[in-house]
């Protein structure tokens, strides 16, 4: 890695928690300079503007989360158990980057008009739903999940319930909402089992 | 109503959508002056600071939402039907104030440290859960809902799933996630029915 590329990557890594915690508008140049130890000129030698840095920071934060939440999933053969593991990993490891889920933070933060960040969050939700849908479809094909199951509905419900529960748990500084979501989603997933 | 009080209320009403859409940091003095047609001095004759105005705007936005989502609920005698109506009203009327749910917006926006707003959002979630819990407890007492039901878990699941689905629906500019949540929650609520 060239030195410039290494510095760029270090800035992204150090900026990611700041953007995730404070949002695009809430993250000041002062915050970024403090986190990276660089002056404004040093920062913007590597990024065209704040939006480009925020976009890279979001991509990094999301990739870290996807990584910790999908590791070893392939080792679980049964699709229902795999989905239960997805729920458990979300409940146990709510975010790899301080500040909660970058998807929800960016979705809420960018909904007044930062289109670049909004597109990235939209793509993040689409990709997550596609990963879950693939597991459900494979489960239907393998006769593990009832044929009447609507993969998109189950995928949307899993994402919505986990994200909403994370919001409540963070606000209340209590794991109750995440634990309650896990219990409900485990029951939902068990109800999808095909008994042949 | 004295003139000062009428002006104060008008400022709150006009500031509420701005804070709900842009968040505390994203809402500038310029935005507030434009929305209200008042100068800074005129605005701050009625509020000690931006935090007090934001707090009043949040209280107003939340009260409007609670109002439209709880109207006529008392006319529904059966507790399960009442809970299904709560879900339907949320799905059909996602927010009385532009910008989505003030609870979620404030929970995400304020989680880096605006304690006054954070406390208001926390109280808003607590009150919502308490309203749902009371309906569930009344349903258990009336032999409409199974005795084994955990009221807090069901209330947390309803709030989490609806809030998460609203986040996805707003991001994707599609009602799919909210409709999917409604289908799943209706099935969950039906499964709580006590068959005597």
């Amino acid at each position: 890695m060239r030195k410039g590329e290494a510095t760029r990557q270090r800035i992204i890594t150090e900026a990611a928690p700041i953007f995730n915690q404070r949002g695009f508008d809430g993250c000041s140049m002062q915050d970024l300079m403090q986190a990276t130890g660089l002056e404004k000129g040093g920062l913007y030698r590597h990024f065209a503007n704040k939006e480009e840095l925020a976009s890279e920071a979001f991509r990094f934060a999301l990739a870290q989360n996807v990584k910790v939440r999908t590791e070893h999933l392939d080792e679980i053969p049964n699709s229902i158990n795999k989905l239960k593991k997805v729920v458990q990993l979300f409940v146990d490891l709510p975010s790899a980057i301080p500040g909660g889920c970058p998807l929800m933070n960016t979705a809420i933060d960018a909904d007044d008009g930062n289109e670049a960040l909004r597109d990235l969050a939209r793509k993040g939700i689409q990709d997550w739903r596609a990963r879950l849908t693939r597991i459900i479809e494979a489960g239907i094909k393998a006769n593990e999940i009832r044929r009447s199951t609507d993969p998109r509905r189950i995928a949307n419900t899993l994402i919505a319930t986990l994200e909403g529960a994370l919001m409540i748990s963070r606000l209340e500084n209590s794991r109750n909402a995440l634990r309650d979501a896990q219990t409900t989603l485990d029951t939902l997933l068990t109800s999808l089992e095909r008994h042949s």
Side-chain angles (χ1 to χ4, degrees), chain A residues 15-35 44 50-51 54 105-106 108-110 112 114 117:
Chain A
I18 319 277
F19 279 111
N20 200 40
Q21 287 169 293
R22 305 195 186 168
F24 185 77
D25 288 322
C27 177
S28 69
M29 184 48 59
Q30 191 58 43
D31 294 331
L32 292 169
M33 283 159 47
Q34 213 162 359
Y44 286 119
K50 186 181 176 188
E51 194 175 273
N105 292 342
T106 301
I108 299 298
D109 184 47
D112 57 49
N114 193 321
L117 286 171

Side-chain angles (χ1 to χ4, degrees), chain A residues 19 26 31-32 35 64-65 70 72 75 89 91 95 132 149 162 165-166 169 173 182 189:
Chain A
F19 279 111
D31 294 331
L32 292 169
Q64 293 295 106
N65 272 350
T70 53
H72 309 300
E75 299 162 17
L89 286 172
V91 168
S95 178
L132 295 174
T149 305
L162 290 173
L166 178 59
S169 273
N173 200 19
Q182 184 175 18
L189 291 170

Side-chain angles (χ1 to χ4, degrees), chain A residues 23-103:
Chain A
F24 185 77
D25 288 322
C27 177
S28 69
M29 184 48 59
Q30 191 58 43
D31 294 331
L32 292 169
M33 283 159 47
Q34 213 162 359
T36 60
L38 293 171
E39 297 296 319
K40 188 173 175 175
L43 271 171
Y44 286 119
R45 195 175 308 141
H46 300 277
F47 302 92
N49 48 42
K50 186 181 176 188
E51 194 175 273
E52 186 187 319
L53 173 51
S55 295
E56 291 302 323
F58 173 81
R59 280 199 187 91
F60 171 76
L62 184 60
Q64 293 295 106
N65 272 350
V66 170
K67 186 166 174 279
V68 299
R69 288 184 191 150
T70 53
E71 269 177 336
H72 309 300
L73 268 192
D74 286 343
E75 299 162 17
I76 302 171
N78 179 281
S79 55
I80 301 227
N81 291 339
K82 204 177 278 192
L83 294 167
K84 287 183 179 174
K85 185 71 181 180
V86 167
V87 171
Q88 186 227 310
L89 286 172
F90 190 99
V91 168
D92 288 347
L93 313 164
S95 178
I97 303 282
C101 176
L103 274 178

